[in-house]
């Protein structure tokens, strides 16, 4: 049966397999790239939620991780460097019924797109933003990124990085993200749960994924040692505790760090006028008479 | 004999206030009883303070431009008097505050000095009523029935009874006061045809056109002179099931418009030159991924921050060529307030049909001036929707299919099962990345082919009208808001026996080449007047049609007057 025909099927009539979310295009990533783990977790999350492929839009900017939309059989936009979030904002506001995933890297979301990140979070755009943080620029080959460690030497920072690394979780919390989580690409099953949780969350979900670049900045050993699951009794509704945790740099905590219920922009704007009507030009022009 | 066709100019400091509103109210009251009005306003970009002036041309017959100079000057202060008295026509009228302005003796003008501020303070005990007092005086002196002004004051203050009463008092006082004045001038409006007309700005008409065309998503970032489109959309779109977003910057504005249109909603943004510069980043994506959208650029004087509240036709190059790479876009320029409506509907029609960005170039004067406009016939402006993959097998669906006209069916997420990725990368027919030389060449040609198809439907009289002598020696080609001044200059030239005609295309890319070629080959000289230094449209015509035009360029932030264009016509045809 052709894939396309299955979207017309009644929900629940037949289980959509993980495989059906794959486009068939082979990822262009290097062997060992963390993004493979994130992609696999994404397929699993979509299958876990049994989302119809034609009701999902995966939006990205530019970078290694931003190639992701081509590897999914859903709708997608491979946009402009840094602008994935405003593109996704327009899609969501135009059709709130769609499930939106924004996939990108630390350069896309924490450098060129920083200004958009904070506003998408503050507006509580109902989407799931998965940031694959490899702390380097992969596509342009090994320059430093805004999340590179202090002192990190790269082709663009031969004397070492002087800027304090941006803390994505802290930044997301400060910006007003209503779901903030962290995952690790080497733990794709946990990450699939976190992504599914983000999709279910009715607001701006930010998922910071440590996703090492095997080619230019291999941090697998570092993160194997530094990641730690959140304590089982973690209260994800405590903003101050979440901020304190984000400030703890010795360990990278995995799991849902913060969650709050807040009206999403796409819902709020539709309540401005409870009774909408058809536009009638003759009636509209009366104001100018 | 009374003259019921004249130009009033009002000048003063915005710190005192009321220059623009006094003029606007007078114009609106005149329009309400059937006079045609054409206003022009220019103000400082300071929040408070600085010289502003307003002009309204009023006539019983259609008016197409702001006209030449002024017949009546209302000077709120000495600076306004000094700045504008040189533009007063012979036997013109100076109406001024006699405590604040000391006019120099001049035999050719008629002076009425009235201590407006003193009257407002001492007689009316209502300093803020000065403007309404002046309105009353204007009505009494120049024959505007006060009833229509009174109606406006009543409507405006209908929820504030005390203020309404004080304003009506001021209005009456001013009107009665004129009975003590010996009228020496000949300007008198009297009665008009009482035909209902609309009084709108260019931005009002653009917004109404967009809503009529089905625009239901708008995103913008505040910028003069486009902010009022954002404000209107913010208040109106929710009433019709649409959404308006004040974006964090212009890149986000256009990016979200791309997203909304991708999701199937007709979408628009509006900005001015500095914002458009930022948007050019995303223009290429819209063209590459073939997303229909409309960008309004209300041009202002540049470069950089330039003169934010003044006009210039300086963004044509940016609209035609801005952005990296080689990609098609459609560029439109409305020629009047009435035409703004038509061109706005057209912008959506072309965007939807050819799935590409459409740039609508307005300018500060057109966006903010008001004109009385006649009946808007909606039937002649077809509303167009994009081609969808109806009946196409989702398995074999090709979003970017090579077609003869360049147009391929566009699937909508959530509505169509034909999933695809809108790509910024060069791509094959399915939309998958494909960077081979053959594909890039073929896809680029496919995208540009849409302009060739579009050209066929815009190369006609309605969208490229010709005006004037059938056997003209001089042909004027203009674009945008200069149309009215050109038309009146042509009328003057025809009356003087000069053989002149004008052509004014609304679509600047693709150009209506057939009509323009025919026009150019039918005349001896071609003149291109435009409000910029480089002659950007003349360049464009030279590049596309090989036309070597005589150029008439004006910068400085003010529109052409008919007289300036007429003088150039004379220079070419009489003195050459």
């Amino acid at each position: 049966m052709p894939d396309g025909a299955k979207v017309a099927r009644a929900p629940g009539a037949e289980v959509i397999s993980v495989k059906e979310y794959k486009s068939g295009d082979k990822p262009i990533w290097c062997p060992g790239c963390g993004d493979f783990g994130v992609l696999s977790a994404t397929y699993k999350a979509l299958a876990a939620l049994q989302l119809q492929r034609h009701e999902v839009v995966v939006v990205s900017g530019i970078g290694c991780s931003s190639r992701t939309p081509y590897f999914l059989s859903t709708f997608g936009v491979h946009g402009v460097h840094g602008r994935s979030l405003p593109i996704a904002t327009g899609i969501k506001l135009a059709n709130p019924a769609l499930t939106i995933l924004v996939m990108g890297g630390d350069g896309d979301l924490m450098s060129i797109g920083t200004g958009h990140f904070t506003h998408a979070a503050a507006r509580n755009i109902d989407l799931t933003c998965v940031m694959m943080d490899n702390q380097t620029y992969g596509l342009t080959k090994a320059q430093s990124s805004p999340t590179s460690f202090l002192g990190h030497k790269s082709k663009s920072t031969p004397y070492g990085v002087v800027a304090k690394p941006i803390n994505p979780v802290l930044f997301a919390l400060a910006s007003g993200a209503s779901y903030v989580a962290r995952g690790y690409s080497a733990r794709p099953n946990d990450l699939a749960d976190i992504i599914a949780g983000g999709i279910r969350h009715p607001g701006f979900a930010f998922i910071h994924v440590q996703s090492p670049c095997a080619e230019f900045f291999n941090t697998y050993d570092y993160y194997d040692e530094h990641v730690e699951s959140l304590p089982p009794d973690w209260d994800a509704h405590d903003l101050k505790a979440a901020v304190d945790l984000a400030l703890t740099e010795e360990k990278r905590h995995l799991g849902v760090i913060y969650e709050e219920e807040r009206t999403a922009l796409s819902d709020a704007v539709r309540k401005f006028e409870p009774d909408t009507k058809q536009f009638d030009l003759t009636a509209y022009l009366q104001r100018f008479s | 004999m009374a003259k019921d066709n004249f130009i009033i100019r009002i000048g003063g400091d915005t710190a005192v206030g009321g220059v623009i509103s006094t003029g606007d109210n007078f114009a609106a009251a005149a329009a309400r009883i059937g006079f045609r009005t054409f206003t022009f306003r220019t103000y400082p970009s300071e929040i408070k303070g600085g010289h502003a002036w307003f002009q309204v041309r009023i006539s019983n017959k259609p008016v197409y431009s702001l006209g030449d100079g002024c017949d009546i000057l209302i000077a709120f202060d000495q600076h306004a008097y000094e700045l504008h008295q040189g533009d007063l026509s012979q036997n013109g009228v100076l109406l001024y505050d006699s405590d604040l302005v000391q006019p120099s003796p001049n035999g050719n003008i008629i002076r009425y000095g009235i201590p407006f501020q003193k009257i407002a303070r001492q007689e009316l005990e209502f300093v803020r009523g000065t403007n309404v007092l002046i309105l009353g005086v204007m009505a009494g002196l120049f024959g505007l029935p006060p009833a229509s002004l009174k109606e406006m004051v009543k409507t405006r203050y209908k929820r504030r009874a005390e203020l309404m009463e004080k304003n009506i008092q001021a209005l009456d006082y001013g009107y009665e006061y004129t009975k003590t004045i010996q009228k020496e001038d000949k300007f008198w409006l009297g009665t008009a045809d009482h035909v209902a007309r609309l009084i709108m700005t260019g931005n009002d008409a653009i917004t109404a056109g967009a809503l009529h065309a089905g625009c239901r998503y708008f995103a913008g970032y505040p910028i003069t002179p486009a902010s009022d489109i954002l404000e209107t959309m913010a208040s109106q779109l929710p009433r019709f099931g649409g959404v308006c977003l004040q974006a964090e910057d212009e890149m986000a504005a256009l990016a979200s418009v791309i997203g909304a249109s991708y999701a199937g909603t007709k979408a628009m943004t509006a900005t001015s030159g500095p914002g458009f510069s930022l948007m050019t980043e995303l223009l290429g994506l819209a063209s590459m991924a073939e997303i229909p959208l409309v960008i309004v650029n209300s041009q202002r004087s540049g470069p950089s921050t330039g003169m934010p509240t003044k006009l210039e036709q300086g963004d044509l190059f940016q609209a035609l060529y801005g952005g990296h790479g080689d990609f098609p876009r459609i560029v439109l320029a409305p020629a009047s307030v009435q035409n703004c409506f038509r061109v706005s509907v057209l912008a959506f029609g072309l965007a939807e049909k050819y799935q590409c960005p459409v740039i609508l170039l307005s300018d500060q004067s057109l966006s903010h001036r008001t004109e009385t406009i006649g009946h808007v016939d909606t039937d002649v402006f077809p509303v167009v929707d994009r081609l969808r993959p109806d009946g196409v097998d989702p398995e074999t669906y090709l979003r970017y299919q090579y077609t003869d006209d360049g147009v391929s069916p566009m699937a909508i997420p959530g509505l169509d099962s034909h999933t695809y990725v809108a790509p910024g990368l060069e791509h094959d027919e399915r939309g998958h990345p494909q960077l081979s030389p053959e594909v890039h060449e073929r896809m680029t040609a496919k995208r540009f082919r849409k302009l060739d198809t579009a050209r066929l439907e815009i190369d006609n009289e309605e969208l490229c009208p010709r005006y004037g002598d059938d056997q003209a020696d001089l042909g004027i080609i203009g674009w945008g808001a200069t149309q009215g001044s050109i038309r009146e200059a042509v009328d003057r030239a025809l009356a003087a026996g000069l053989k002149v005609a004008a052509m004014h295309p609304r679509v600047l890319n693709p150009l209506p080449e057939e009509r323009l070629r025919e026009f150019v080959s039918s005349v001896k000289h071609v003149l291109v007047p435009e409000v910029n230094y480089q002659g950007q449209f003349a360049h464009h015509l030279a590049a596309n049609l090989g036309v070597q035009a005589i150029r008439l360029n004006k910068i400085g932030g003010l529109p052409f007057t008919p007289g300036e264009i007429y003088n150039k016509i004379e220079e070419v045809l009489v003195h050459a």
Side-chain angles (χ1 to χ4, degrees), chain A residues 2-5 7 23 25 53-55 57 67 69-70 72-81 83 86-87 89-91 93-95 98 112 115-116 119 123 265 269-270 272-273 275-281 284-285 287-289, chain B residues 197-200 204 208 211-212 216-217 232 236 238-241 243 245-249 251-252 255-256 259-260 262-263 265 281-282 285 341 376 378 394-395 411-414 416-425 431-433:
Chain A
D3 276 5
V7 294
S23 71
D25 282 20
R53 295 186 302 112
H54 77 302
E55 291 173 350
V57 186
R67 286 291 186 110
Y70 295 116
L72 285 117
S73 62
T74 62
F75 273 99
V77 179
H78 180 215
V80 169
H81 199 21
R83 316 293 169 230
I87 291 173
T89 298
I91 298 172
L93 291 178
N95 185 355
L98 297 170
I112 192 167
H116 307 306
H119 293 281
R123 290 179 186 129
L265 185 68
V269 294
R270 279 178 171 73
F272 289 165
E273 289 285 344
D275 299 313
T276 61
K277 56 186 174 193
Q278 288 285 316
F279 179 79
D280 178 80
L281 184 70
Y284 179 79
L285 291 177
R287 77 196 56 226
F288 303 109
S289 63
Chain B
R197 291 189 183 82
L198 304 172
I199 181 161
M200 300 173 84
D204 289 335
L211 290 168
H212 175 67
R216 292 297 177 269
Y217 183 83
T232 307
Q236 296 302 318
R239 303 175 56 212
F240 308 112
V243 177
L245 177 75
Q246 179 177 333
E248 59 270 26
D249 55 44
M251 292 171 291
S256 79
Y262 171 80
T265 300
E281 185 205 47
L282 286 122
L285 174 65
F341 182 83
V376 177
T378 57
E395 265 310 280
I412 306 299
D416 298 312
S417 51
H418 310 63
T419 59
Y420 77 100
V421 176
L425 282 167
H432 288 240

Side-chain angles (χ1 to χ4, degrees), chain A residues 26-99:
Chain A
K26 198 171 170 289
I28 39 80
W29 298 319
C30 310
C33 177
D35 296 351
F36 283 108
V38 182
L39 181 61
S40 134
T42 306
Y43 292 141
K44 283 179 192 158
L46 294 173
L49 298 171
Q50 287 292 293
L51 294 171
Q52 299 293 320
R53 295 186 302 112
H54 77 302
E55 291 173 350
V56 177
V57 186
V58 183
V59 185
S60 70
I62 299 299
C64 294
S65 54
S66 283
R67 286 291 186 110
T68 304
Y70 295 116
F71 313 135
L72 285 117
S73 62
T74 62
F75 273 99
V77 179
H78 180 215
V80 169
H81 199 21
R83 316 293 169 230
S84 53
L85 282 167
I87 291 173
T89 298
I91 298 172
K92 188 69 188 180
L93 291 178
N95 185 355
L98 297 170
T99 297

Side-chain angles (χ1 to χ4, degrees), chain B residues 512-527:
Chain B
E513 288 186 3
E514 205 169 302
R515 275 185 72 76
L516 284 169
R517 273 185 214 285
E518 198 185 305
F519 182 62
V520 166
S521 63
S522 74
V523 295
K524 292 184 189 133
H525 315 276
V526 175
L527 171 66

Side-chain angles (χ1 to χ4, degrees), chain B residues 474 498 525 566-576:
Chain B
L474 173 67
L498 299 171
H525 315 276
Y566 177 76
N567 290 343
K568 189 70 183 178
I569 296 171
E570 249 193 359
E571 186 191 309
V572 174
L573 290 181
V574 182
H575 309 302

Side-chain angles (χ1 to χ4, degrees), chain A residues 3 8 34 52 66 99 102 105 109 127 138 160 183 199 216 230 233 236 268 274:
Chain A
D3 276 5
Q52 299 293 320
S66 283
T99 297
V102 171
L109 293 161
L127 54 78
I199 294 172
F216 299 125
L230 283 169
D233 60 346

Side-chain angles (χ1 to χ4, degrees), chain B residues 446-513:
Chain B
K446 171 224 186 290
R447 290 187 287 267
F448 273 98
R449 202 147 61 232
K450 294 186 288 187
L451 291 190
D452 296 332
T453 314
R455 192 192 313 276
L456 300 174
E457 71 172 278
I458 58 90
D459 200 344
N460 57 47
E461 193 184 350
E462 194 240 326
L463 296 174
C464 185
R466 186 185 193 282
Y467 183 75
D469 198 315
D470 287 340
Q471 261 125 46
D473 293 327
L474 173 67
I476 302 175
I477 307 178
W479 67 282
T482 57
Q483 176 179 262
S485 293
I486 293 173
R487 179 179 175 152
E488 291 184 3
V490 168
D491 284 340
R492 221 175 283 182
L494 295 175
L498 299 171
K499 297 168 88 62
V500 181
M503 188 162 266
H504 213 87
R506 277 73 165 120
V507 184
L508 309 183
N509 196 51
L511 280 170
E513 288 186 3

